[in-house]
Amino acid sequence: MKYLYNLYQLLIALPIIVIDTVVICTAIIIGCALGFGHFWANYPPRLWARIILWALLIPVKVEGRHRLDPKESYVFVANHQGAFDIFLIYGHLNRHFKWMMKYQLKKIPFVGFACMKSHQIFVDKRGPKKIKATYDQARQTLKGGTSLTVFPEGSRSFTGHMGVFKKGAFMLADELQLPVVPLTINGSFDVLPRMRDMKFVRWHRLTLTIHDPIYPVGQGNENVEATKNQAYDSVMSALVPEYQGFVENPDQ
């Protein structure tokens, strides 16, 4: 079955994914250039991600969507098991949001340029001025009423387990007094672990668990730490037993 699935990926899924990526990214670039950024930055990417998961026959389960208020802006924070986290959240969170992503992703053909045109937030750590510009853009995004999605570990796991959460997203939420929503991703590491980049994916169910929003109970470092710790515990609580527990990520 494994080899049959690999053959299917090569002959059927891969051409669909390539066409999907080129068409959707081109539409985003043109649509945003014409001034319809809100629509083109949200709905086509959802379709793009869903088509990729559909083409690879990967089932998806979402739990807890009822916990979100459609009129509220949130800072979403998720564990980062693998590349398929992107498709799962983009395709199935069903919210308008911007990503905070590594600036190196600008180099991905079509995808990087589409992300730039749709005003995703690239995290650039190559100096204090660039770091400040990153957080200024994130701050303006949240003030404008759009949610933000962040992987506070900063990089994908090597083991499927969680590393440490960094403070940046929680500091933004604290400054603007916005609720933080923890997201738990299961299955992404099993589909395509970091060590297998550019190889065949493995068939495995993806699950996205949306936890209760964590509302600020004050402002300042104490609230930042409390929110960060509570979010970490919430994300950890819904991981499958195989990936429970902290494992240090040397890439953090």
Side-chain angles (χ1 to χ4, degrees), residues 48-132:
W48 169 72
R50 288 190 176 214
I51 288 174
I52 289 175
L53 295 176
W54 168 80
L56 291 167
L57 309 178
I58 295 176
V60 172
K61 181 180 180 181
V62 180
E63 301 173 333
R65 194 178 283 131
H66 64 280
R67 296 186 171 106
L68 301 179
D69 182 344
K71 298 179 181 179
E72 182 73 87
S73 293
Y74 297 108
V75 176
F76 294 101
V77 295
N79 59 313
H80 203 2
Q81 282 200 336
F84 275 71
D85 301 342
I86 306 294
F87 309 128
L88 177 61
I89 293 176
Y90 235 160
H92 293 277
L93 184 57
N94 289 0
R95 298 284 302 195
H96 294 340
F97 66 87
K98 300 291 185 185
W99 288 102
M100 286 190 74
M101 58 179 66
K102 290 184 177 181
Y103 79 92
Q104 292 93 333
L105 297 177
K106 288 182 180 181
K107 299 177 182 179
I108 300 176
F110 284 100
V111 174
F113 193 54
C115 288
M116 290 173 60
K117 287 297 184 182
S118 58
H119 301 292
Q120 306 304 322
I121 301 165
F122 291 95
V123 180
D124 194 335
K125 299 179 180 178
R126 293 175 295 175
K129 289 185 178 180
K130 293 185 181 294
I131 294 173
K132 182 180 183 300

Side-chain angles (χ1 to χ4, degrees), residues 29-228:
I29 292 166
I30 294 173
C32 289
L34 293 175
F36 303 102
H38 184 72
F39 174 87
W40 291 102
N42 287 287
Y43 294 103
R46 292 187 198 179
L47 179 62
W48 169 72
R50 288 190 176 214
I51 288 174
I52 289 175
L53 295 176
W54 168 80
L56 291 167
L57 309 178
I58 295 176
V60 172
K61 181 180 180 181
V62 180
E63 301 173 333
R65 194 178 283 131
H66 64 280
R67 296 186 171 106
L68 301 179
D69 182 344
K71 298 179 181 179
E72 182 73 87
S73 293
Y74 297 108
V75 176
F76 294 101
V77 295
N79 59 313
H80 203 2
Q81 282 200 336
F84 275 71
D85 301 342
I86 306 294
F87 309 128
L88 177 61
I89 293 176
Y90 235 160
H92 293 277
L93 184 57
N94 289 0
R95 298 284 302 195
H96 294 340
F97 66 87
K98 300 291 185 185
W99 288 102
M100 286 190 74
M101 58 179 66
K102 290 184 177 181
Y103 79 92
Q104 292 93 333
L105 297 177
K106 288 182 180 181
K107 299 177 182 179
I108 300 176
F110 284 100
V111 174
F113 193 54
C115 288
M116 290 173 60
K117 287 297 184 182
S118 58
H119 301 292
Q120 306 304 322
I121 301 165
F122 291 95
V123 180
D124 194 335
K125 299 179 180 178
R126 293 175 295 175
K129 289 185 178 180
K130 293 185 181 294
I131 294 173
K132 182 180 183 300
T134 294
Y135 283 95
D136 285 346
Q137 184 182 357
R139 189 178 295 108
Q140 291 305 314
T141 294
L142 290 167
K143 284 182 178 179
T146 300
S147 295
L148 190 66
T149 299
V150 185
F151 295 118
E153 292 168 275
S155 58
R156 290 173 291 164
S157 171
F158 282 102
T159 63
H161 295 260
M162 287 170 60
V164 299
F165 275 7
K166 299 177 182 178
K167 288 185 179 182
F170 304 98
M171 292 173 67
L172 280 170
D174 174 73
E175 178 184 338
L176 300 175
Q177 291 291 280
L178 290 175
V180 170
V181 177
L183 306 174
T184 301
I185 294 169
N186 279 298
S188 180
F189 186 80
D190 301 283
V191 172
L192 188 65
R194 181 173 183 174
M195 306 78 70
R196 289 176 50 85
D197 281 347
M198 307 304 293
K199 295 184 179 180
F200 290 107
V201 306
R202 299 164 177 164
W203 188 92
H204 196 283
R205 177 186 293 276
L206 294 175
T207 302
L208 177 66
T209 302
I210 304 169
H211 297 274
D212 288 321
I214 304 170
Y215 288 89
V217 293
Q219 192 164 22
N221 190 61
E222 186 174 341
N223 180 59
V224 171
E225 286 294 328
T227 303
K228 178 171 70 72

